Amino acid sequence: MRPFELPDFYTPHPARLNPHVDSARTHTTRWARETGLLSRPRSTATATTIPDETEFDDHDYALLAGYTHPDVSTATLNLLADWYAWMFLLDDQLPPHDERPGSSTEARRDVQRLLGFLRTTAGCVPEPNTPLERGLAELWQRTAATTTPRLLRRLAAELHILLTARVHQPCRPLESFPNPVDHLRGSRHSSGARWVATLVEYPLGSPLPLAVARSRPLRLLRECFADALRLCNDLFSYQRETRQERKRDNTVLSVERFLECSPQRAAEIANTVLTRRVHLFEITLHRGLPALLSEHELPEQQRTTVLTYVNGMRDWLAGAHEWHSLSTRYMNTGPIHTTRIRQPAGLGFTATGHNPRPVTTTGSPMESGRFRPRWELFPWSTRSHDTNRAPTNPLLTRLRSRTASWAQRHGSYENAFPSTTRTNIDYALLAARVLPHAGETELALIADWTLWARWINDGAHRERYQPWPRLAEFMAPDPTKMPSTSEPAEQALAELWTRTTTIIPKRAQPRFRQRIRKFLRHTAGEPFEPGGSEAADLLAPLETPPRTARSHFRLALTELRLGPDIPPKMVRSPAMRSLRQVFAEITTLHRDLVIAHRRSLRENPVATIPTPRRPYDGRRHHAVSILTDLLRRRQQRFESLLSRDIAGARAEYRLSPTAGRQLDSYLDDLERWITGELGWLLETEWPTHHAAPAPQVAQRPLPTTDCPTPTVDVFPV
């Protein structure tokens, strides 16, 4: 009996089958037989046996290659089918060590042996002793003979990450399950999706241009691809992994245990997150990619290479779903309850466009086990100060007058705040809260920067202009060599940059300029994002462009007070990088939780505890539960970094007394910033922002279908 009925899947791109799939089937079965990969028992006493030839044929890994690579030649399809067969058999023989008690040493030894065959240069290759080693050695030799050295190095790097991640996962107690967001983010390395995304480049024949390969749209496409592929596999493999293999590395199981809900509800939630990631992939493909290609002005051949690669990932997602629906490896003992949605229909989809605020429905409170408050924000740190007692800079009154004058002088007041209902967003108060002991010069700079950032963000929402790349020209290394302009936003940035260069050391200016440029890049990409901070995005990873833009901007402002005597190596150390990342995530989570709370009050201003007259809102409760747990984990990580990692880095780099005091001041500033910004968020009334509809811009058509626009509740009742 199935643990749940498979939900309807959103598949905007139809799957196509390679005509050489029958030849690949024959070849892959013969190859697996010759390398000894079939009918061999696993190394552990509790494991089942490796599939025999009949079961191997039923799993049909050649069909996976045929669906995911519909246009490649016979020889290429044979190689790819062999790779996928080897990877699945590796997964059967080498599960993560936290699911094999007492086998950590053995697993590490097996992985080290396999890594020895990933040679990218001429050298001594070990003699293979096991079927897995023989299969990898033969596959690597065939791949190296038919691909470029650069792609071979990347394949080796991704395989190294994939294999080592499987034996270095932390051992968890049987009853412990990670937060679904952390599970999904961490599985990008251990699921093999990044390796698959690299292998999609193999049939191209020419490498991706470096500037485009490292760009934000391509990174976002690869992340969406990895998340969607993992979620699709976890939905189909739930029964096999939880009942047959007794694995716990499954996203549906993580949602089920974390939210204390039924497997059916967990599957629906996971499927909705899958829908959001596929939709974001389609949006980036149709809107972000053409702008990227136009920006870099690539030759026609390179444009074709990029488009072929992205459509290759698209084919992989469609083909992987089709194969999962047919292969007997998964929940396919009877008719599959799934619908290929080719047009926006069903599952809450509309043909008119995305509704960022789904209609609220109610569910039974017993679905999550018990009644609980819908929202609770506990202190962000065990050492934190009460936000009600957080100090405010005594220069606040004078700062408000100065900030208003600056905004009016540059024309940003009316542009950033077009109606009187929005003038209560007090950025002078924000500066006074996060820098309670700073002087007027620093306070004014922080307040003006945040006001300018809001101006740019609103301009990007309305698409009156694209803030990138023109604005970056006004942060020149030499402030006296800026281009002339009549645009208020550019004039304000030029003035802000000139003031900034007078108070921070010259060596710190490139880092500040780089963060502001990243803010502009991600802000320019924000209109491509569906839904903003709505509940439908709360289960998605934290790297969405709006959140990333705010994080880069916030970090730039905090580093204005970074002492000049702290060694650059210390600033770039892993401990400091981790601290900045956790700081950015804590402040982002605070904002999401406060916004969620404000929306709940607008919808139900009487109470936050469900009663018979106020039904329990399961979707919001689940979203807030996940965010609150993420915040708690980030708090613990922040404290651990301060007490252990930063202390170790301080000793490693042998800071002078002056540098040590400057580091202590910077760390205190981070804590004060978190507390002060949280108090400001709780005090400030944030009105609802309704961006004007963007004008239609003619773009070069892509060789793909049109992008539909679904409206989905991430926590379906």
Side-chain angles (χ1 to χ4, degrees), residues 46-68:
T46 59
T48 59
T49 58
I50 296 298
D52 57 20
E53 187 168 326
T54 301
E55 189 176 0
F56 180 84
D57 290 341
D58 289 341
H59 290 177
D60 208 347
Y61 302 117
L63 182 65
L64 171 64
Y67 269 123
T68 55

Side-chain angles (χ1 to χ4, degrees), residues 402-415 448 451-452 455 486-496 499:
R402 178 170 176 171
T403 302
S405 299
W406 181 87
Q408 292 173 353
R409 184 169 67 252
H410 289 283
S412 64
Y413 194 86
E414 294 79 8
N415 287 283
D448 294 348
L451 179 59
W452 174 84
W455 185 9
S486 58
E487 288 288 335
E490 296 171 352
Q491 291 177 343
L493 176 58
E495 192 255 8
L496 283 171
R499 288 164 56 191

Side-chain angles (χ1 to χ4, degrees), residues 680-692:
W680 176 75
L681 286 169
L682 293 171
E683 183 176 343
T684 302
E685 288 294 333
W686 285 88
T688 303
H689 173 62
H690 297 286

Side-chain angles (χ1 to χ4, degrees), residues 226-256:
D227 295 341
L229 187 57
R230 176 59 192 258
L231 287 164
C232 177
N233 179 264
D234 284 352
L235 281 162
F236 279 95
S237 65
Y238 176 91
Q239 182 174 10
R240 175 187 176 95
E241 293 183 347
T242 59
R243 297 185 178 180
Q244 177 180 340
E245 300 176 351
R246 302 296 181 183
K247 289 183 178 181
R248 290 176 287 128
D249 187 26
N250 185 285
T251 306
V252 180
L253 184 62
S254 176
V255 172
E256 173 192 344

Side-chain angles (χ1 to χ4, degrees), residues 85 139 174 282 296 304 404 488 572 576 647:
L139 285 171
L174 189 61
E282 294 290 315
H296 289 275
T304 303
R572 297 191 299 266
M576 290 289 285

Side-chain angles (χ1 to χ4, degrees), residues 374 600-609 611 614:
R374 290 193 297 180
S600 70
L601 292 179
R602 285 200 300 267
E603 295 168 6
N604 186 4
V606 178
T608 60
I609 305 296
T611 69
R614 289 181 289 272

